[in-house]
């Protein structure tokens, strides 16, 4: 089958441009849920407003287990999606025996391709780092950041570096300064990009605006649901990277990660997760517009490293009420912060103070019916929090206080959404593809097969 497809591919022309989208934590239910939610918002609760990715002509699925466990972590999964080889959980860019693995980005760079790596989280996080980093532990952020500068890749975009000075050693060279010493121009925020669009710079790192040390906002971009005017977006990063790479290289490869899908799913926060799926899909439209200009030379692949949360679309009877999610005005992170701020400003906040936040941010009582039993349960939790006896929930990336966590959980329950975990699952992940040779991504795959298929398509 592969030979037949590739013969057809070469009859149409050589692939010069590859877009590789990875939705971190994005299982099939995250995609379907996002579409069904958008449909409910438009008054069509029984329909689907499709994402761009599900309109692509070819689709499949992939298993995601690692070398060490049936459930992978992001480092092992990212390594596999970058190299085609499985490794142990926690390891990045190395085989299970610590052998250095060559990534598809490194291989194509050696062949003269332009390379762009971009994400909604830190540029030294597991998935982007898997395309240029080689360390025994994914938590070695400073070392991964050093290897970013050594990669020679042409474009990086995202939130910034996790620890630009290292965690504890102030004597270490700042990673932004190191990158500049190695030929990168660091651009802060979408507005600043305008000043460099027609310049002769050869390598760019685009990050959101930071403080002088580059450490203030290095972990992630804003969730789509929390975004404010002027915040850097994934779509802006992609729209900057495409002309930047196209002007400097005859061929280019771009890996684009929707990293905040995973963050939201670790918090079991459906409305925020669905918003992140759509946000990555919006960024994908920049690649699709380029594809429409170069249809015989452009391949777009969309997949995920793993599923997060064990998301179930249904938790009781045969109904969904995803329309209720429209009343959520902020992420679980921000909701938690609002309650924390309330307790800082008032040593003894009232139940009415707490109810006001629930009403404003989740629509409780006014727009979302709250039963007497649910009201009593929330009030009991409030009393426990005021007595400093409530327990916070520690997710993968942020601790959420009890009041914020309970509010999101109750809204999800009322929407009939279920979660089995705050960690990863072994669910299969989707694959979508369009362009010459996209047929070969159809059907059932293991994640080890995706990189070899890309290599076959572009050779």
């Amino acid at each position: 089958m592969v030979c037949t497809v590739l013969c057809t591919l070469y009859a149409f022309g050589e692939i010069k441009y590859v877009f590789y989208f990875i939705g971190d934590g994005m299982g099939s239910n995250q995609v379907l849920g996002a579409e069904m939610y958008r449909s409910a918002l438009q008054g069509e609760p029984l329909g689907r407003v499709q994402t761009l990715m599900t309109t692509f002509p070819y689709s499949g699925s992939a298993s995601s287990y690692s070398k060490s466990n049936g459930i992978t972590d992001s480092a092992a999964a990212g390594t596999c999606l970058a190299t085609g080889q499985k490794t142990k959980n926690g390891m990045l860019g190395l085989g299970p025996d610590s052998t250095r693995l060559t990534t598809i980005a490194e291989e194509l760079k050696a062949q003269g391709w332009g390379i762009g790596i971009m994400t909604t989280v830190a540029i030294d996080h597991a998935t982007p780092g898997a395309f240029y980093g080689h360390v025994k532990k994914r938590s070695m952020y400073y070392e991964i950041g050093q290897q970013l500068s050594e990669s020679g890749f042409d474009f990086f975009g995202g939130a910034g570096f996790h620890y630009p000075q290292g965690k504890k050693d102030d004597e270490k060279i700042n990673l932004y300064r190191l990158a500049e010493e190695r030929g990168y121009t660091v651009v802060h925020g979408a507005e600043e990009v305008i000043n460099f669009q027609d310049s002769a710079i050869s390598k760019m790192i685009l990050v959101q605006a930071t403080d002088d040390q580059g450490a203030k906002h290095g972990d992630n971009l804003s969730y789509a649901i929390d975004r404010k005017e002027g915040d850097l977006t994934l779509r802006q990063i992609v729209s900057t990277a495409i002309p930047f790479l196209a002007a400097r290289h005859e061929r280019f490869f771009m890996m684009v990660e929707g990293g905040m899908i995973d963050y939201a799913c670790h918090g079991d926060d459906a409305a925020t997760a669905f918003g992140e799926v759509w946000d990555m899909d919006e960024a994908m439209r920049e690649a699709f517009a380029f594809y429409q200009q170069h249809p015989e030379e452009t391949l777009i692949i969309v997949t995920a490293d793993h599923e997060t949360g064990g998301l179930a679309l249904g938790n009781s009877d045969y109904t969904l009420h995803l329309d209720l999610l429209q009343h959520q005005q902020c992420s679980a992170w921000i909701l938690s912060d609002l309650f924390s701020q309330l307790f800082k400003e008032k040593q003894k906040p009232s139940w009415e103070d707490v109810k006001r936040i629930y009403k404003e941010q989740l629509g409780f009582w006014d727009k979302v019916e709250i039963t007497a039993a649910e009201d009593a349960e929330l009030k009991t939790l409030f009393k426990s929090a005021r007595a400093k006896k409530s327990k916070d929930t520690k997710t993968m990336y942020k601790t959420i206080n009890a009041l914020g966590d309970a509010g999101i959980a109750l809204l999800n329950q009322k929407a009939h959404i279920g979660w089995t975990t705050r960690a990863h699952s072994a669910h299969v992940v989707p694959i979508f593809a369009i362009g010459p040779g996209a047929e070969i991504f159809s059907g059932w795959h293991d994640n080890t097969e995706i990189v070899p298929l890309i290599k076959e398509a572009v050779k």
Side-chain angles (χ1 to χ4, degrees), residues 261-331:
I261 302 169
D262 179 62
Y263 282 32
C265 291
H266 275 291
D268 289 356
D269 183 351
T272 301
F274 294 159
E276 291 306 300
V277 171
W278 276 102
D279 199 58
M280 187 179 80
D281 202 68
E282 286 296 312
M284 208 176 297
R285 293 180 186 278
E286 297 292 330
F288 185 69
F290 185 87
Y291 159 82
Q292 290 178 308
Q293 296 172 356
H294 309 275
E296 297 179 359
E297 301 170 316
T298 306
L299 176 63
I300 304 175
I301 309 106
V302 186
T303 190
D305 52 353
H306 53 74
E307 193 274 348
T308 301
L311 173 63
L313 299 175
N315 67 358
S316 54
D317 55 18
Y318 297 103
T319 62
L320 281 172
H321 298 287
L322 300 186
D323 58 300
L324 294 179
L325 298 178
Q326 68 183 295
H327 304 302
Q328 183 174 330
Q329 303 301 310
C330 67
S331 67

Coordinates of all heavy atoms in Angstrom, one line a residue, residues 261-331:
I261 N -3.9 22.0 26.1 CA -4.9 21.0 26.1 C -4.6 20.1 27.3 O -5.5 19.8 28.1 CB -5.1 20.2 24.8 CG1 -5.3 21.2 23.6 CG2 -6.2 19.2 24.9 CD1 -5.2 20.5 22.3
D262 N -3.4 19.7 27.4 CA -3.0 18.8 28.4 C -3.1 19.4 29.8 O -3.6 18.8 30.7 CB -1.5 18.4 28.2 CG -0.9 17.5 29.2 OD1 -1.4 16.3 29.4 OD2 0.0 17.9 29.9
Y263 N -2.7 20.7 29.9 CA -2.8 21.3 31.2 C -4.2 21.4 31.7 O -4.5 21.1 32.9 CB -2.3 22.8 31.1 CG -0.8 23.0 31.0 CD1 0.0 22.0 30.5 CD2 -0.2 24.1 31.5 CE1 1.4 22.2 30.4 CE2 1.2 24.3 31.5 CZ 2.0 23.4 30.9 OH 3.3 23.6 30.9
A264 N -5.2 21.7 30.8 CA -6.6 21.8 31.2 C -7.1 20.4 31.6 O -7.9 20.3 32.5 CB -7.4 22.4 30.0
C265 N -6.7 19.4 30.9 CA -7.2 18.1 31.2 C -6.6 17.5 32.4 O -7.3 16.7 33.1 CB -6.9 17.1 30.0 SG -7.9 17.5 28.5
H266 N -5.4 17.9 32.8 CA -4.9 17.5 34.1 C -5.7 18.1 35.2 O -5.8 17.6 36.3 CB -3.4 18.0 34.3 CG -2.4 17.1 33.7 ND1 -2.2 15.8 34.3 CD2 -1.6 17.1 32.6 CE1 -1.2 15.2 33.6 NE2 -0.9 16.0 32.6
G267 N -6.4 19.3 34.9 CA -7.3 19.9 35.9 C -8.7 19.4 35.8 O -9.6 20.0 36.5
D268 N -9.0 18.4 34.9 CA -10.3 18.0 34.6 C -11.3 19.1 34.3 O -12.4 19.2 34.9 CB -10.9 17.1 35.8 CG -10.2 15.8 36.0 OD1 -9.3 15.4 35.1 OD2 -10.4 15.1 36.9
D269 N -10.8 20.0 33.5 CA -11.6 21.2 33.2 C -12.0 21.2 31.7 O -11.2 21.6 30.8 CB -10.6 22.4 33.4 CG -11.3 23.8 33.2 OD1 -12.4 23.8 32.7 OD2 -10.6 24.8 33.6
A270 N -13.2 20.7 31.4 CA -13.7 20.5 30.1 C -13.8 21.7 29.2 O -13.3 21.8 28.1 CB -15.0 19.7 30.1
A271 N -14.4 22.8 29.8 CA -14.6 24.0 29.0 C -13.3 24.6 28.5 O -13.1 25.0 27.4 CB -15.4 25.0 29.8
T272 N -12.3 24.6 29.4 CA -11.0 25.1 29.1 C -10.3 24.2 28.1 O -9.7 24.7 27.1 CB -10.2 25.3 30.3 OG1 -10.8 26.2 31.2 CG2 -8.8 25.9 30.0
A273 N -10.4 22.9 28.2 CA -9.8 22.0 27.3 C -10.4 22.1 25.9 O -9.6 22.1 24.9 CB -9.9 20.5 27.8
F274 N -11.7 22.2 25.8 CA -12.3 22.3 24.5 C -11.9 23.6 23.8 O -11.7 23.6 22.6 CB -13.9 22.3 24.7 CG -14.4 21.0 25.1 CD1 -15.7 20.9 25.7 CD2 -13.7 19.8 25.0 CE1 -16.2 19.7 26.2 CE2 -14.2 18.6 25.5 CZ -15.5 18.5 26.1
G275 N -11.8 24.7 24.6 CA -11.3 25.9 24.1 C -9.9 25.8 23.5 O -9.6 26.4 22.5
E276 N -9.0 25.0 24.2 CA -7.7 24.8 23.7 C -7.6 24.0 22.4 O -6.7 24.2 21.5 CB -6.8 24.2 24.8 CG -6.5 25.1 26.0 CD -6.0 26.4 25.6 OE1 -4.9 26.5 25.0 OE2 -6.6 27.5 25.8
V277 N -8.5 23.0 22.3 CA -8.6 22.3 21.0 C -8.9 23.2 19.9 O -8.3 23.2 18.8 CB -9.6 21.1 21.1 CG1 -9.9 20.5 19.7 CG2 -9.2 20.1 22.1
W278 N -9.9 24.1 20.1 CA -10.3 25.0 19.0 C -9.2 26.0 18.8 O -9.0 26.4 17.6 CB -11.6 25.8 19.4 CG -12.8 25.0 19.1 CD1 -13.6 24.2 19.9 CD2 -13.4 24.8 17.8 NE1 -14.6 23.6 19.2 CE2 -14.5 24.0 17.9 CE3 -13.1 25.3 16.5 CZ2 -15.3 23.6 16.8 CZ3 -13.9 25.0 15.5 CH2 -15.0 24.1 15.6
D279 N -8.4 26.4 19.8 CA -7.3 27.3 19.6 C -6.2 26.7 18.7 O -5.7 27.4 17.9 CB -6.8 27.7 21.0 CG -6.0 29.0 21.0 OD1 -6.6 30.0 20.6 OD2 -4.8 29.0 21.3
M280 N -5.9 25.5 19.0 CA -4.9 24.8 18.1 C -5.5 24.7 16.7 O -4.8 24.9 15.7 CB -4.5 23.4 18.6 CG -3.4 22.8 17.8 SD -2.8 21.2 18.4 CE -4.1 20.1 17.7
D281 N -6.8 24.4 16.6 CA -7.4 24.3 15.2 C -7.3 25.7 14.5 O -7.2 25.7 13.3 CB -8.9 23.9 15.4 CG -9.4 23.3 14.2 OD1 -8.9 22.2 13.8 OD2 -10.3 23.8 13.5
E282 N -7.5 26.8 15.3 CA -7.3 28.1 14.6 C -5.9 28.3 14.1 O -5.8 28.8 13.0 CB -7.7 29.2 15.7 CG -9.2 29.3 16.0 CD -10.0 29.7 14.8 OE1 -9.6 30.7 14.1 OE2 -11.0 29.1 14.5
A283 N -4.9 27.9 14.8 CA -3.5 28.0 14.4 C -3.3 27.1 13.1 O -2.6 27.5 12.2 CB -2.6 27.5 15.5
M284 N -4.0 26.0 13.1 CA -3.9 25.1 11.9 C -4.4 25.8 10.7 O -4.0 25.4 9.6 CB -4.8 23.9 12.3 CG -4.3 22.6 11.6 SD -5.4 21.2 12.2 CE -4.9 21.2 13.9
R285 N -5.3 26.7 10.8 CA -5.9 27.4 9.6 C -4.8 28.2 8.9 O -4.9 28.4 7.7 CB -7.1 28.3 10.0 CG -8.3 27.4 10.5 CD -9.5 28.3 10.9 NE -10.5 27.4 11.5 CZ -11.3 26.6 10.8 NH1 -11.3 26.7 9.4 NH2 -12.2 25.8 11.4
E286 N -3.8 28.6 9.6 CA -2.7 29.3 9.0 C -1.9 28.4 8.1 O -1.5 28.7 6.9 CB -1.7 29.9 10.0 CG -2.4 31.0 10.9 CD -2.7 32.3 10.1 OE1 -2.0 32.6 9.1 OE2 -3.7 33.0 10.5
A287 N -1.7 27.1 8.6 CA -1.0 26.1 7.8 C -1.9 25.7 6.6 O -1.4 25.5 5.5 CB -0.7 24.9 8.6
F288 N -3.2 25.6 6.8 CA -4.1 25.2 5.8 C -4.2 26.2 4.6 O -4.2 25.9 3.5 CB -5.5 24.9 6.3 CG -6.5 24.4 5.3 CD1 -6.3 23.1 4.9 CD2 -7.5 25.1 4.9 CE1 -7.2 22.5 3.9 CE2 -8.4 24.6 3.9 CZ -8.3 23.3 3.5
A289 N -4.1 27.5 5.0 CA -4.1 28.6 4.0 C -2.9 28.4 3.1 O -2.9 28.6 1.9 CB -4.2 29.9 4.7
F290 N -1.7 28.1 3.8 CA -0.5 27.9 3.0 C -0.6 26.7 2.1 O -0.2 26.7 1.0 CB 0.7 27.7 4.0 CG 2.0 27.6 3.3 CD1 2.7 28.8 3.0 CD2 2.6 26.4 3.0 CE1 4.0 28.7 2.4 CE2 3.8 26.3 2.4 CZ 4.5 27.4 2.1
Y291 N -1.2 25.6 2.7 CA -1.5 24.4 1.9 C -2.3 24.7 0.6 O -2.0 24.2 -0.5 CB -2.2 23.4 2.7 CG -2.9 22.3 1.9 CD1 -2.2 21.2 1.4 CD2 -4.3 22.4 1.7 CE1 -2.9 20.2 0.7 CE2 -4.9 21.4 0.9 CZ -4.2 20.4 0.4 OH -4.9 19.4 -0.3
Q292 N -3.3 25.5 0.8 CA -4.1 25.9 -0.4 C -3.4 26.6 -1.5 O -3.7 26.5 -2.7 CB -5.3 26.7 0.1 CG -6.3 25.9 0.9 CD -7.5 26.8 1.4 OE1 -7.3 27.9 2.0 NE2 -8.7 26.4 1.2
Q293 N -2.3 27.3 -1.1 CA -1.4 28.0 -2.1 C -0.4 27.0 -2.7 O 0.0 27.2 -3.8 CB -0.7 29.1 -1.4 CG -1.6 30.2 -0.9 CD -0.9 31.3 -0.1 OE1 0.3 31.1 0.2 NE2 -1.6 32.3 0.3
H294 N -0.1 25.9 -1.9 CA 0.9 25.0 -2.4 C 0.4 23.5 -2.2 O 1.0 22.7 -1.5 CB 2.2 25.2 -1.6 CG 2.7 26.6 -1.6 ND1 3.5 27.1 -2.6 CD2 2.5 27.6 -0.7 CE1 3.8 28.4 -2.3 NE2 3.2 28.7 -1.2
P295 N -0.7 23.2 -2.8 CA -1.4 21.9 -2.5 C -0.6 20.7 -2.9 O -0.8 19.6 -2.3 CB -2.7 22.0 -3.2 CG -2.5 22.9 -4.3 CD -1.5 23.9 -3.8
E296 N 0.2 20.8 -3.9 CA 1.0 19.6 -4.4 C 2.3 19.5 -3.7 O 3.1 18.5 -3.9 CB 1.2 19.8 -5.9 CG -0.1 19.8 -6.7 CD 0.1 19.9 -8.1 OE1 1.3 20.0 -8.6 OE2 -0.9 19.9 -8.9
E297 N 2.6 20.4 -2.8 CA 4.0 20.4 -2.1 C 3.9 20.4 -0.6 O 4.9 20.3 0.1 CB 4.8 21.6 -2.5 CG 5.0 21.7 -4.0 CD 5.6 23.0 -4.5 OE1 5.2 24.0 -4.0 OE2 6.6 23.0 -5.3
T298 N 2.6 20.4 0.0 CA 2.5 20.6 1.4 C 1.7 19.4 2.0 O 0.7 19.0 1.6 CB 1.6 21.9 1.7 OG1 2.3 23.0 1.0 CG2 1.6 22.1 3.2
L299 N 2.3 18.9 3.1 CA 1.7 17.8 3.9 C 1.4 18.3 5.3 O 2.3 18.9 6.0 CB 2.6 16.6 3.9 CG 2.2 15.4 4.8 CD1 0.9 14.8 4.2 CD2 3.3 14.4 4.8
I300 N 0.2 18.1 5.8 CA -0.2 18.5 7.1 C -0.6 17.2 7.9 O -1.5 16.5 7.4 CB -1.3 19.5 7.2 CG1 -1.0 20.7 6.4 CG2 -1.7 19.9 8.6 CD1 -2.1 21.8 6.3
I301 N 0.0 16.9 9.0 CA -0.3 15.8 9.9 C -0.7 16.3 11.2 O -0.1 17.2 11.8 CB 0.8 14.8 10.0 CG1 1.4 14.4 8.7 CG2 0.4 13.6 10.8 CD1 2.7 15.0 8.4
V302 N -1.8 15.8 11.8 CA -2.3 16.2 13.1 C -2.4 14.9 14.0 O -3.0 14.0 13.5 CB -3.6 16.9 13.1 CG1 -4.0 17.4 14.5 CG2 -3.7 18.0 12.1
T303 N -1.8 15.0 15.2 CA -2.0 13.8 16.1 C -1.8 14.3 17.5 O -1.9 15.5 17.8 CB -1.0 12.7 15.7 OG1 -1.3 11.5 16.5 CG2 0.4 13.1 16.0
A304 N -1.7 13.4 18.4 CA -1.5 13.7 19.8 C -0.4 12.8 20.4 O -0.2 11.7 19.9 CB -2.8 13.6 20.6
D305 N 0.2 13.2 21.6 CA 1.2 12.4 22.2 C 0.5 11.3 23.1 O 1.0 10.2 23.3 CB 2.2 13.2 23.0 CG 1.5 14.2 24.0 OD1 0.3 14.3 24.0 OD2 2.2 14.8 24.8
H306 N -0.6 11.7 23.7 CA -1.4 10.8 24.6 C -2.7 11.5 24.9 O -2.9 12.6 24.5 CB -0.6 10.5 25.9 CG -0.2 11.8 26.6 ND1 -1.1 12.6 27.2 CD2 1.0 12.4 26.6 CE1 -0.4 13.6 27.7 NE2 0.8 13.6 27.3
E307 N -3.6 10.8 25.6 CA -4.8 11.4 26.1 C -4.6 11.7 27.5 O -3.9 10.9 28.3 CB -6.0 10.4 25.9 CG -7.4 11.0 26.1 CD -7.9 11.1 27.5 OE1 -7.2 10.4 28.4 OE2 -8.9 11.7 27.8
T308 N -5.2 12.8 28.0 CA -5.1 13.1 29.4 C -6.5 13.2 30.0 O -7.4 13.8 29.4 CB -4.4 14.5 29.6 OG1 -3.1 14.4 29.0 CG2 -4.3 14.9 31.1
G309 N -6.7 12.7 31.2 CA -7.9 12.8 32.0 C -8.9 11.7 31.9 O -9.8 11.6 32.7
G310 N -8.8 10.8 30.9 CA -9.8 9.8 30.7 C -11.1 10.4 30.5 O -12.1 10.0 31.1
L311 N -11.2 11.3 29.6 CA -12.5 12.1 29.3 C -13.6 11.2 28.8 O -13.4 10.5 27.8 CB -12.2 13.2 28.4 CG -13.4 14.0 27.9 CD1 -14.1 14.8 29.0 CD2 -12.9 15.0 26.8
A312 N -14.7 11.3 29.4 CA -15.9 10.6 29.0 C -17.0 11.6 28.6 O -17.3 12.5 29.5 CB -16.4 9.6 30.0
L313 N -17.6 11.4 27.5 CA -18.7 12.3 27.1 C -20.0 11.6 27.5 O -20.7 11.0 26.7 CB -18.7 12.6 25.6 CG -17.4 13.3 25.1 CD1 -17.4 13.4 23.6 CD2 -17.3 14.7 25.8
G314 N -20.4 11.7 28.8 CA -21.5 11.1 29.4 C -21.1 10.5 30.7 O -20.0 9.9 30.9
N315 N -22.0 10.8 31.7 CA -21.6 10.3 33.1 C -22.8 9.7 33.8 O -22.7 9.3 35.0 CB -21.0 11.4 33.9 CG -22.0 12.5 34.2 OD1 -23.1 12.5 33.8 ND2 -21.5 13.5 35.0
S316 N -24.0 9.7 33.1 CA -25.2 9.1 33.8 C -26.2 8.6 32.8 O -26.0 7.5 32.3 CB -25.8 10.2 34.7 OG -26.1 11.4 33.9
D317 N -27.2 9.4 32.5 CA -28.2 8.9 31.6 C -27.8 9.2 30.1 O -26.6 9.5 29.9 CB -29.6 9.5 31.9 CG -29.5 11.0 31.8 OD1 -28.5 11.6 31.3 OD2 -30.4 11.7 32.4
Y318 N -28.7 9.0 29.2 CA -28.3 9.1 27.8 C -28.5 10.6 27.3 O -29.1 10.9 26.3 CB -29.3 8.2 26.9 CG -29.1 6.8 27.2 CD1 -30.0 6.1 28.0 CD2 -28.0 6.1 26.7 CE1 -29.9 4.7 28.2 CE2 -27.9 4.7 27.0 CZ -28.8 4.1 27.7 OH -28.7 2.7 28.0
T319 N -27.8 11.5 28.0 CA -27.9 12.9 27.7 C -26.6 13.6 27.9 O -25.8 13.2 28.8 CB -29.0 13.7 28.5 OG1 -28.7 13.6 29.9 CG2 -30.4 13.1 28.2
L320 N -26.4 14.6 27.1 CA -25.3 15.6 27.4 C -25.9 17.0 27.5 O -26.9 17.3 26.8 CB -24.3 15.6 26.2 CG -23.3 14.4 26.2 CD1 -22.5 14.5 24.8 CD2 -22.3 14.5 27.3
H321 N -25.2 17.8 28.3 CA -25.7 19.2 28.5 C -24.5 20.1 28.3 O -24.2 20.9 29.2 CB -26.4 19.4 29.8 CG -27.6 18.5 30.0 ND1 -28.8 18.8 29.3 CD2 -27.8 17.4 30.7 CE1 -29.7 17.9 29.6 NE2 -29.1 17.0 30.5
L322 N -23.8 20.0 27.2 CA -22.6 20.7 27.0 C -22.8 22.2 26.9 O -21.9 23.0 27.1 CB -21.8 20.3 25.8 CG -21.4 18.8 25.8 CD1 -20.5 18.5 24.6 CD2 -20.6 18.4 27.1
D323 N -24.1 22.6 26.6 CA -24.4 24.0 26.6 C -24.1 24.7 27.9 O -23.9 26.0 27.9 CB -25.8 24.2 26.1 CG -26.8 23.5 27.1 OD1 -26.7 22.3 27.2 OD2 -27.7 24.2 27.6
L324 N -24.2 24.0 29.0 CA -24.0 24.6 30.3 C -22.6 25.1 30.5 O -22.3 26.0 31.3 CB -24.3 23.6 31.4 CG -25.7 23.1 31.6 CD1 -25.9 22.1 32.7 CD2 -26.7 24.3 31.8
L325 N -21.6 24.6 29.7 CA -20.2 25.0 29.8 C -20.0 26.5 29.4 O -19.0 27.1 29.7 CB -19.3 24.1 29.0 CG -19.3 22.6 29.4 CD1 -18.4 21.8 28.5 CD2 -18.8 22.5 30.9
Q326 N -21.0 27.0 28.6 CA -20.8 28.4 28.1 C -20.8 29.4 29.2 O -20.4 30.5 29.1 CB -22.0 28.7 27.1 CG -23.4 28.8 27.8 CD -24.4 29.1 26.8 OE1 -24.5 30.1 26.2 NE2 -25.3 28.1 26.7
H327 N -21.3 29.0 30.4 CA -21.4 29.9 31.5 C -20.1 30.0 32.3 O -19.9 30.8 33.2 CB -22.5 29.5 32.5 CG -23.9 29.4 31.8 ND1 -24.4 30.5 31.1 CD2 -24.7 28.4 31.6 CE1 -25.6 30.1 30.6 NE2 -25.8 28.9 30.9
Q328 N -19.1 29.1 31.9 CA -17.8 29.2 32.6 C -17.0 30.3 31.9 O -16.8 30.3 30.7 CB -17.1 27.9 32.4 CG -15.7 27.9 33.1 CD -15.1 26.5 33.1 OE1 -15.7 25.5 33.1 NE2 -13.7 26.4 33.1
Q329 N -16.6 31.3 32.7 CA -15.9 32.5 32.2 C -14.4 32.4 32.3 O -13.7 33.3 31.7 CB -16.5 33.7 32.9 CG -18.0 33.9 32.7 CD -18.4 34.0 31.3 OE1 -17.9 34.8 30.5 NE2 -19.4 33.2 30.9
C330 N -13.8 31.5 33.0 CA -12.4 31.4 33.2 C -12.0 30.0 33.5 O -12.8 29.1 33.7 CB -12.0 32.3 34.4 SG -12.6 31.8 36.0
S331 N -10.7 29.7 33.4 CA -10.1 28.4 33.6 C -10.2 28.1 35.1 O -10.4 29.0 36.0 CB -8.7 28.3 33.2 OG -7.9 29.2 34.0

